[in-house]
Amino acid sequence: MGGASIVEFERALGKGQVPAVVLFVGEEARLVDRGLACLREAVVPAAQRDFNEDRLRADDLDAPRLEDSLRTLPVLGGRRLVIVRDAHRLEDRGAKYEAMQAALVAYVEAPVETTVLALAAEKVDRRLRVWKAIEKAGVVVDCSPPDEATLPARLEAEAAAAGVRFEPGAARFLVELAGPDLGVLEGEVAKLAAFVGEGGRISAETVREMLESRRAGETSVFEWVDAVAARRADDALAGLGRLLDAGEEPLRLLGLLARQVRLVLATRSMLARGASTQEIAERVVPRARFLARKLVDQARLHRDRDLFEMHDALVEADLALKSSPASQRFVMERLVLALCGLEAR
């Protein structure tokens, strides 16, 4: 069957396509757990899991125990699910692991119809015979941490699986606003899908409105970024305090400020060339054109020198946050004052 993403795997399960053997490969434990949970739902009814599901670890196994688990018939009919975690340890040297590899190869070439085997490994050498045999007999599911560049495509696939779709650029906009944590992003996609409904379209403006609406009664992170960019020091400091108290990560806030400075710099450069607000919307924020008017207003508040000094302050704050975690609030307060054109008191 070959390889699949977690979304493709779930989609196949939804169509009743349950492979005899599944290998989850990758260090993203949340994706592994998600895949195993979906497989469990598809294979073993909740009432039968105490006796029709085996949860094993490679280090605790030997070949006879593994073979016995795989070839045991299910109680009350149906199917059994055998889960082997830390399967990458099967590549360890020693007669015990070589025997288990040989047992797996023999098993997947003639699997028991009533058993589904799932293995979870952080990393495997797919040149080895055992993994080649498993891939030929079943499916390998990619559970590796995503590169940030691939996140929008992953989110678009998640949206499609939920029956909705992102408008061009909206998934990238969500990554920019919510950060690169895949778990957080998938949660946001689920909420957006529920908001727009089956067959709906998710625009960049919908993304922003949705993220802001959940902070009703609190300082919106976007309002805070606008306060800093507009150099309203009192509002910016007060908003920073509320955001940090609410659990916002300083590095995420720093990233949003850095993005805003880049956008304002680009806007100021286009204004100097005589560009219109519409042209700025098309070139600077094509995925969120409704932001162009605000960017133009902010660009007119700053000189080029101010913006370059802001960039330097952001770089300095980034280094300070990573080297002195105990003083993160002070670092952020000092940064806000610098960006607003004031000296730290």
Side-chain angles (χ1 to χ4, degrees):
M1 292 180 67
S5 69
I6 192 71
V7 173
E8 291 168 338
F9 176 66
E10 290 173 342
R11 191 176 295 143
L13 288 180
K15 295 177 181 178
Q17 300 169 7
V18 180
V21 186
V22 185
L23 172 61
F24 298 96
V25 180
E27 297 177 352
E28 188 70 61
R30 193 192 55 76
L31 288 181
V32 173
D33 291 342
R34 169 178 160 180
L36 286 171
C38 289
L39 187 61
R40 183 178 292 116
E41 289 294 324
V43 174
V44 187
Q48 297 182 13
R49 287 175 192 162
D50 287 344
F51 39 85
N52 278 343
E53 180 179 327
D54 276 358
R55 303 182 187 185
L56 312 170
R57 290 192 177 274
D59 271 351
D60 301 328
L61 284 174
D62 57 22
R65 168 77 194 285
L66 178 59
E67 290 176 316
D68 180 64
S69 180
L70 290 171
R71 298 192 182 280
T72 297
L73 296 176
V75 178
L76 301 177
R79 290 179 290 192
R80 278 173 44 80
L81 175 62
V82 178
I83 299 171
V84 180
R85 289 189 178 267
D86 298 329
H88 50 277
R89 299 300 301 273
L90 294 173
E91 296 183 8
D92 288 359
R93 293 182 179 179
K96 166 184 167 178
Y97 298 105
E98 291 172 0
M100 282 198 287
Q101 286 190 38
L104 279 173
V105 170
Y107 173 78
V108 300
E109 288 177 349
V112 175
E113 289 185 1
T114 54
T115 296
V116 174
L117 169 61
L119 303 106
E122 292 179 0
K123 187 178 181 180
V124 299
D125 183 351
R126 291 173 76 166
R127 296 171 298 179
L128 295 180
R129 184 186 176 202
V130 61
W131 308 127
K132 287 182 177 179
I134 286 171
E135 184 169 7
K136 182 178 180 181
V139 61
V140 177
V141 181
D142 180 12
C143 295
S144 57
D147 184 314
E148 189 167 346
T150 69
L151 280 173
R154 285 206 180 207
L155 299 185
E156 287 168 355
E158 292 281 347
V164 299
R165 67 188 182 93
F166 280 101
E167 292 185 355
R172 166 57 60 187
F173 189 56
L174 175 58
V175 174
E176 291 173 354
L177 294 185
D181 186 287
L182 183 59
V184 171
L185 289 167
E186 288 178 344
E188 298 296 349
V189 171
K191 293 167 189 171
L192 286 162
F195 180 74
V196 300
E198 181 78 21
R201 293 161 57 95
I202 303 171
S203 67
E205 190 162 7
T206 302
V207 169
R208 178 166 176 142
E209 288 174 354
M210 191 73 177
L211 266 63
E212 283 187 331
S213 68
R214 291 201 307 279
R215 294 180 171 87
E218 303 175 8
T219 296
S220 158
V221 68
F222 309 113
E223 292 173 353
W224 173 72
V225 168
D226 288 341
V228 176
R231 311 189 97 168
R232 301 196 310 271
D234 290 343
D235 290 342
L237 280 174
L240 173 66
R242 287 190 287 271
L243 289 169
L244 293 176
D245 290 342
E248 286 284 355
E249 287 293 327
L251 282 171
R252 176 177 178 254
L253 297 177
L254 182 72
L256 291 173
L257 287 176
R259 172 182 176 274
Q260 192 71 11
V261 168
R262 290 194 298 271
L263 292 177
V264 174
L265 262 171
T267 300
R268 186 167 174 80
S269 175
M270 290 194 68
L271 285 173
R273 298 199 300 269
S276 66
T277 301
Q278 181 176 348
E279 290 171 322
I280 290 168
E282 293 172 354
R283 294 288 300 279
V284 179
V285 280
R287 297 184 292 269
R289 299 185 183 194
F290 57 93
L291 297 177
R293 180 69 262 170
K294 189 174 292 184
L295 284 173
V296 169
D297 292 340
Q298 292 172 1
R300 287 173 175 157
L301 287 173
H302 303 88
R303 298 167 297 175
D304 289 343
R305 187 178 70 184
D306 297 331
L307 293 167
F308 290 127
E309 288 176 353
M310 286 181 173
H311 177 268
D312 292 342
L314 287 162
V315 171
E316 182 181 338
D318 182 60
L319 293 172
L321 287 173
K322 292 173 180 175
S323 61
S324 306
S327 58
Q328 289 186 337
R329 184 178 290 264
F330 172 74
V331 170
M332 290 300 296
E333 289 174 347
R334 183 171 180 173
L335 173 64
V336 166
L337 289 171
L339 297 183
C340 290
L342 301 174
E343 294 293 330
R345 293 189 281 271

